[in-house]
Amino acid sequence: GVQTCALPILGIALVAMTVGDTGSIRMGGLTDTVTGLSAGSSYYISATAGALTHTAPAHARFIGIATTSSELLVVPAPWTAPS
């Protein structure tokens, strides 16, 4: 079923979506829908809409760790990045 939530939950869309679209969001576990990753690097939500970055921006929101160049282990919030 369709779920809505007002909390700031993070996840990765499994297909390209825009505002108003419906689709599946991976909120934890492995996803291979991202490319250009550096294996072993932590990733954060970028200030650029729809993008990830391995450089923590101001007010960083950790999303996961790259296991390969095209696979991200999405870590459920509120887990924090390893230091």
Side-chain angles (χ1 to χ4, degrees):
V2 174
Q3 297 181 4
T4 59
C5 183
L7 297 174
I9 295 178
L10 302 177
I12 300 289
L14 300 181
V15 298
M17 294 188 294
T18 60
V19 174
D21 287 349
T22 59
S24 296
I25 305 293
R26 177 74 38 120
M27 297 184 333
L30 291 172
T31 182
D32 61 1
T33 59
V34 184
T35 59
L37 303 173
S38 294
S41 292
S42 295
Y43 279 83
Y44 305 87
I45 302 299
S46 174
T48 303
L52 301 177
T53 179
H54 61 83
T55 304
H59 310 289
R61 300 287 310 272
F62 176 73
I63 187 72
I65 299 171
T67 57
T68 69
S69 63
S70 62
E71 190 172 73
L72 184 72
L73 175 59
V74 179
V75 180
W79 199 80
T80 55
S83 23

